[in-house]
Amino acid sequence: ELKFEIKPSTNQSRIGWDTARAFQDFLHKNPPAADYALLADYGIGRSPDGKTVVGGVSLILCDRQGD
């Protein structure tokens, strides 16, 4: 099970890199059986009228060693 916390930020680049580093650390501790691992990170929030919206999707691709 993949669980990690990323410090909230309005800087999308920072969130992306923090998420990638956390995923890399996870793969170092839990090497997958496959050659590659793919993480999809969904930026989900609420619109002013209260509807749930996806503001973006980031994909992080690493090899078995987390590179």
Side-chain angles (χ1 to χ4, degrees), residues 16-56:
W17 281 109
D18 288 351
T19 303
R21 281 188 286 275
F23 188 45
Q24 182 181 45
D25 290 343
F26 175 83
L27 293 175
H28 286 158
K29 295 173 188 167
N30 304 282
D35 292 334
Y36 295 94
L38 178 66
L39 175 71
D41 179 40
Y42 296 85
I44 299 173
R46 298 236 181 250
S47 65
D49 61 355
K51 293 181 183 177
T52 301
V53 295
V54 176

Side-chain angles (χ1 to χ4, degrees), residues 2-22:
L2 177 63
K3 286 188 178 185
F4 51 78
E5 262 187 61
I6 302 300
K7 184 178 176 180
S9 175
T10 56
N11 183 330
Q12 280 304 117
S13 292
R14 180 180 184 132
I15 290 172
W17 281 109
D18 288 351
T19 303
R21 281 188 286 275

